[in-house]
Short mmCIF file of all heavy atoms in Angstrom, two decimals:
data_model
loop_
_atom_site.label_atom_id
_atom_site.label_comp_id
_atom_site.label_asym_id
_atom_site.label_seq_id
_atom_site.Cartn_x
_atom_site.Cartn_y
_atom_site.Cartn_z
N ARG B 372 87.42 172.33 98.65
CA ARG B 372 87.09 172.80 97.30
C ARG B 372 87.38 174.29 97.21
O ARG B 372 87.64 174.95 98.22
CB ARG B 372 85.62 172.54 96.97
CG ARG B 372 84.66 173.20 97.93
CD ARG B 372 83.22 172.92 97.55
NE ARG B 372 82.32 173.29 98.61
CZ ARG B 372 81.85 174.52 98.80
NH1 ARG B 372 82.22 175.48 98.00
NH2 ARG B 372 81.03 174.79 99.80
N SER B 373 87.33 174.75 95.98
CA SER B 373 87.61 176.18 95.80
C SER B 373 86.45 177.01 96.36
O SER B 373 85.35 176.50 96.54
CB SER B 373 87.82 176.47 94.31
OG SER B 373 86.74 175.96 93.58
N ALA B 374 86.75 178.28 96.59
CA ALA B 374 85.76 179.14 97.24
C ALA B 374 84.50 179.29 96.39
O ALA B 374 84.55 179.25 95.16
CB ALA B 374 86.39 180.51 97.48
N ALA B 375 83.36 179.42 97.06
CA ALA B 375 82.09 179.58 96.37
C ALA B 375 82.05 180.92 95.65
O ALA B 375 82.70 181.89 96.06
CB ALA B 375 80.96 179.50 97.38
N ARG B 376 81.28 180.99 94.56
CA ARG B 376 81.15 182.25 93.82
C ARG B 376 80.02 183.10 94.35
O ARG B 376 79.99 184.30 94.15
CB ARG B 376 80.95 181.95 92.34
CG ARG B 376 82.23 181.38 91.70
CD ARG B 376 81.94 180.69 90.40
NE ARG B 376 81.35 181.59 89.43
CZ ARG B 376 80.81 181.19 88.29
NH1 ARG B 376 80.77 179.91 88.00
NH2 ARG B 376 80.30 182.06 87.45
N VAL B 377 79.05 182.43 94.97
CA VAL B 377 77.94 183.18 95.55
C VAL B 377 77.67 182.69 96.98
O VAL B 377 78.02 181.57 97.34
CB VAL B 377 76.63 183.05 94.72
CG1 VAL B 377 76.78 183.71 93.38
CG2 VAL B 377 76.22 181.60 94.58
N ILE B 378 77.04 183.55 97.74
CA ILE B 378 76.64 183.21 99.11
C ILE B 378 75.13 183.43 99.20
O ILE B 378 74.62 184.45 98.72
CB ILE B 378 77.36 184.13 100.12
CG1 ILE B 378 78.87 183.93 100.01
CG2 ILE B 378 76.89 183.86 101.54
CD1 ILE B 378 79.68 185.02 100.69
N HIS B 379 74.44 182.46 99.79
CA HIS B 379 72.98 182.56 99.90
C HIS B 379 72.59 182.94 101.32
O HIS B 379 73.18 182.47 102.29
CB HIS B 379 72.33 181.21 99.56
CG HIS B 379 72.52 180.81 98.13
ND1 HIS B 379 71.55 180.99 97.17
CD2 HIS B 379 73.58 180.26 97.49
CE1 HIS B 379 72.00 180.57 96.01
NE2 HIS B 379 73.23 180.11 96.18
N PHE B 399 78.84 185.89 107.88
CA PHE B 399 78.58 187.22 107.30
C PHE B 399 77.30 187.76 107.92
O PHE B 399 76.42 186.99 108.28
CB PHE B 399 78.39 187.13 105.78
CG PHE B 399 79.56 186.52 105.06
CD1 PHE B 399 79.60 185.15 104.79
CD2 PHE B 399 80.63 187.30 104.65
CE1 PHE B 399 80.67 184.58 104.14
CE2 PHE B 399 81.71 186.73 103.98
CZ PHE B 399 81.74 185.36 103.73
N TYR B 439 76.55 182.18 105.80
CA TYR B 439 77.82 181.57 106.17
C TYR B 439 78.38 180.74 105.02
O TYR B 439 77.67 180.37 104.08
CB TYR B 439 77.67 180.70 107.42
CG TYR B 439 76.85 179.43 107.22
CD1 TYR B 439 77.44 178.23 106.82
CD2 TYR B 439 75.48 179.43 107.45
CE1 TYR B 439 76.68 177.08 106.66
CE2 TYR B 439 74.72 178.29 107.29
CZ TYR B 439 75.33 177.12 106.89
OH TYR B 439 74.57 175.98 106.72
N GLU B 440 79.67 180.48 105.14
CA GLU B 440 80.36 179.58 104.23
C GLU B 440 81.18 178.61 105.08
O GLU B 440 81.75 179.02 106.09
CB GLU B 440 81.31 180.35 103.32
CG GLU B 440 80.65 180.95 102.10
CD GLU B 440 80.17 179.89 101.13
OE1 GLU B 440 80.99 179.08 100.67
OE2 GLU B 440 78.97 179.86 100.88
N LEU B 441 81.22 177.35 104.67
CA LEU B 441 82.04 176.36 105.36
C LEU B 441 83.18 175.94 104.46
O LEU B 441 82.99 175.76 103.25
CB LEU B 441 81.20 175.13 105.72
CG LEU B 441 80.22 175.26 106.88
CD1 LEU B 441 79.28 174.05 106.91
CD2 LEU B 441 80.94 175.41 108.21
N SER B 442 84.35 175.78 105.02
CA SER B 442 85.47 175.25 104.24
C SER B 442 86.27 174.32 105.14
O SER B 442 86.15 174.37 106.38
CB SER B 442 86.36 176.39 103.73
OG SER B 442 86.84 177.15 104.82
N TYR B 464 74.31 186.67 97.15
CA TYR B 464 75.36 187.68 97.18
C TYR B 464 76.57 187.20 96.37
O TYR B 464 76.88 186.00 96.34
CB TYR B 464 75.82 187.93 98.62
CG TYR B 464 74.74 188.45 99.53
CD1 TYR B 464 73.97 187.57 100.29
CD2 TYR B 464 74.48 189.82 99.62
CE1 TYR B 464 72.97 188.04 101.13
CE2 TYR B 464 73.47 190.29 100.47
CZ TYR B 464 72.72 189.40 101.21
OH TYR B 464 71.73 189.85 102.03
N ASP B 465 77.23 188.14 95.76
CA ASP B 465 78.49 187.85 95.08
C ASP B 465 79.55 187.63 96.17
O ASP B 465 79.75 188.49 97.02
CB ASP B 465 78.87 189.03 94.19
CG ASP B 465 80.13 188.75 93.41
OD1 ASP B 465 81.23 188.70 94.02
OD2 ASP B 465 80.02 188.57 92.19
N ALA B 466 80.22 186.48 96.13
CA ALA B 466 81.16 186.14 97.20
C ALA B 466 82.39 187.06 97.20
O ALA B 466 83.01 187.26 98.24
CB ALA B 466 81.58 184.68 97.07
N ALA B 467 82.73 187.59 96.03
CA ALA B 467 83.93 188.44 95.96
C ALA B 467 83.64 189.85 96.48
O ALA B 467 84.43 190.41 97.25
CB ALA B 467 84.43 188.50 94.52
N THR B 468 82.50 190.40 96.11
CA THR B 468 82.21 191.80 96.48
C THR B 468 81.26 191.90 97.67
O THR B 468 81.09 192.98 98.23
CB THR B 468 81.58 192.55 95.29
OG1 THR B 468 80.33 191.91 94.98
CG2 THR B 468 82.47 192.48 94.06
N LEU B 469 80.59 190.80 98.01
CA LEU B 469 79.60 190.74 99.09
C LEU B 469 78.38 191.63 98.82
O LEU B 469 77.67 192.03 99.73
CB LEU B 469 80.23 191.08 100.45
CG LEU B 469 81.42 190.20 100.87
CD1 LEU B 469 81.88 190.59 102.28
CD2 LEU B 469 81.06 188.72 100.84
#
Side-chain angles (χ1 to χ4, degrees):
Chain B
R372 58 180 167 84
S373 52
R376 290 162 60 191
V377 293
I378 298 165
H379 294 260
F399 302 93
Y439 69 90
E440 276 293 302
L441 285 169
S442 59
Y464 299 93
D465 183 290
T468 63
L469 302 184

